[in-house]
């Protein structure tokens, strides 16, 4: 829960009472969730203050209910004016039909039809992840490059050094147009990676290293 | 892994050797993943046959790399012609910088900045969930109603019975237009839930029950 920013844990008639000494180590440091947890006698009482409640189940029931994915549930929660809630059942038995009758709709996690055996902790994790992910402003993809790409003239210097060495070594095909095409391919190898100034320096050293005459006595 | 349809487990130099007797119970029935698991000496060897490899890490490193969310990684995997892979590190230490250097890019799960402590199993679960979810054809939201909504004339019969009883009891405001507005509100209460034929019958019984003269001797 706390990994994904959720702290409002509501327990209904916990089998082993509450507080429960076993819960501390299992929480791995998320003690604030345990400290703030509230205990209720009934599922209906536990839903007090919630605007939209999803019950979780994997088995089809004889209930007429809207069934939604975690993605959809999270989107609806984010659009709600009041907090929503997700109702999870005991590990072994899941929610009873009487519990599901308290919920407005059903949340079902899409799983491999040939092997669906998410446990309680896994189901909570996935539902909480979707909620947090949809509110997160983390960019889908970013190039983390603290120094930024090298100044462009340094990149040009690298490309020019490669080009000069290749020309010197007779790498380019003399057929008209072929050398220009090969230069374009080579240029793209060096521009796309957004190399930093340090990496451009390393590459220039590598180019020199590749072009050096073989050291006398070096193994084949 | 198997919950989300993944079976290709590749292990690099497992600390306790392989096969490992402790893995069976922990797999909770996903034995096929263990049976098919392959062991490699190096991270680079383990990536053989993969088209795009993401390394997972939470800590910023001194690496210049594209950093993507699980959502983005899954989208890229689904668009690839060849299988991709996700590289996870040991539980306590995570991936070394040398391991990350094998990967094309970094996958980071968005977590609560004040409490981010996903363990290995949780990180695998979230990444696998995103992959499976994006390939799943499960509808975002469906009303599961095996009998379907009642034939419309039965719904009209219910609405008519409610209307007749309300009129009989003087419920409607005599100011012109008010009764029509109230009837519209009432009608919407009964059309939106898409009640089945059985539910419409139950509601007609409830309407009759509410309208009955009080049983002699019933408590206040």
């Amino acid at each position: 829960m706390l990994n994904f920013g959720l702290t409002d844990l509501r327990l209904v008639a916990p089998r082993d009472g509450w507080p429960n000494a076993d819960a501390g180590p299992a929480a791995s440091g998320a003690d604030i969730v345990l400290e703030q947890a509230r205990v209720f006698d009934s599922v209906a009482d536990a839903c007090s203050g919630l605007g939209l409640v999803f019950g979780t189940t994997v088995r089809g029931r004889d209930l007429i209910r809207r069934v939604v994915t975690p993605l959809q549930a999270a989107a609806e929660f984010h659009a709600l004016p009041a907090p929503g809630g997700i109702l999870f059942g005991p590990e072994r038995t899941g929610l009873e039909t009487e519990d599901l009758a308290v919920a407005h709709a059903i949340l079902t996690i899409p799983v491999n039809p040939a092997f669906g055996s998410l446990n309680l902790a896994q189901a909570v994790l996935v539902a909480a992840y979707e909620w947090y992910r949809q509110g997160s402003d983390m960019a889908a993809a970013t190039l983390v490059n603290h120094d930024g790409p090298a100044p462009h003239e340094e990149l040009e210097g690298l490309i020019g050094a490669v080009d000069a060495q290749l020309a010197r070594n007779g790498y380019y095909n003399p057929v008209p147009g072929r050398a220009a095409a090969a230069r374009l391919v080579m240029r793209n190898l060096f521009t796309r990676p957004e190399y930093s100034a340090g990496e451009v320096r390393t590459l220039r050293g590598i180019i020199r290293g590749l072009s050096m005459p073989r050291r006398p006595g070096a193994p084949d």
Side-chain angles (χ1 to χ4, degrees), chain A:
Chain A
M1 287 179 59
L2 194 56
N3 272 303
F4 296 122
L6 299 178
T7 54
D8 187 0
L9 174 62
R10 304 179 181 201
L11 301 167
V12 178
R15 187 192 58 188
D16 298 330
W18 192 260
N20 181 332
D22 292 340
S28 300
D31 300 315
I32 192 171
V33 177
L34 303 182
E35 285 158 16
Q36 297 182 354
R38 286 175 285 166
V39 176
F40 297 87
D41 290 330
S42 73
V43 169
D45 286 349
C47 293
S48 173
L50 303 181
L52 178 61
V53 176
F54 291 99
T56 49
T57 178
V58 288
R59 293 181 295 277
R61 303 294 182 97
D62 245 2
L63 276 177
I64 304 172
R65 273 292 189 289
R66 212 162 53 96
V67 176
V68 306
T69 60
L71 190 85
Q72 176 69 22
E76 294 186 17
F77 285 147
H78 281 288
L80 278 182
I86 307 180
L87 189 56
F88 293 92
E91 182 77 77
R92 285 180 194 285
T93 57
L95 289 171
E96 300 292 330
T97 304
E98 289 71 22
D99 303 321
L100 288 171
V102 176
H104 297 95
I106 303 294
L107 187 159
T108 293
I109 298 173
V111 289
N112 179 0
F115 183 85
S117 73
L118 289 179
N119 64 32
L120 173 59
Q122 290 171 323
V124 172
L125 188 80
V126 166
Y129 160 75
E130 269 294 3
W131 183 83
Y132 186 79
R133 198 268 298 163
Q134 290 187 31
S136 162
D137 60 2
M138 181 175 164
T142 333
L143 184 71
V144 173
N145 185 344
H146 294 298
D147 298 328
H152 208 266
E153 66 277 16
E154 297 183 18
L155 188 64
E156 289 296 327
L158 167 67
I159 292 168
V162 172
D163 180 55
Q165 187 64 36
L166 291 177
R168 213 154 25 223
N169 294 356
Y171 168 83
Y172 292 117
N173 191 319
V175 172
R178 290 285 188 86
R183 282 191 170 96
L184 197 60
V185 170
M186 181 273 286
R187 166 175 287 278
N188 278 320
L189 298 178
F190 294 108
T191 47
R192 200 179 65 215
E194 305 179 27
Y195 289 127
S196 69
E199 289 177 318
V200 168
R201 281 193 299 274
T202 300
L203 276 163
R204 293 201 66 158
I206 288 172
I207 301 305
R208 277 195 303 274
L210 291 171
S211 321
M212 284 190 294
R214 179 171 296 200
R215 199 190 319 157
D220 278 329

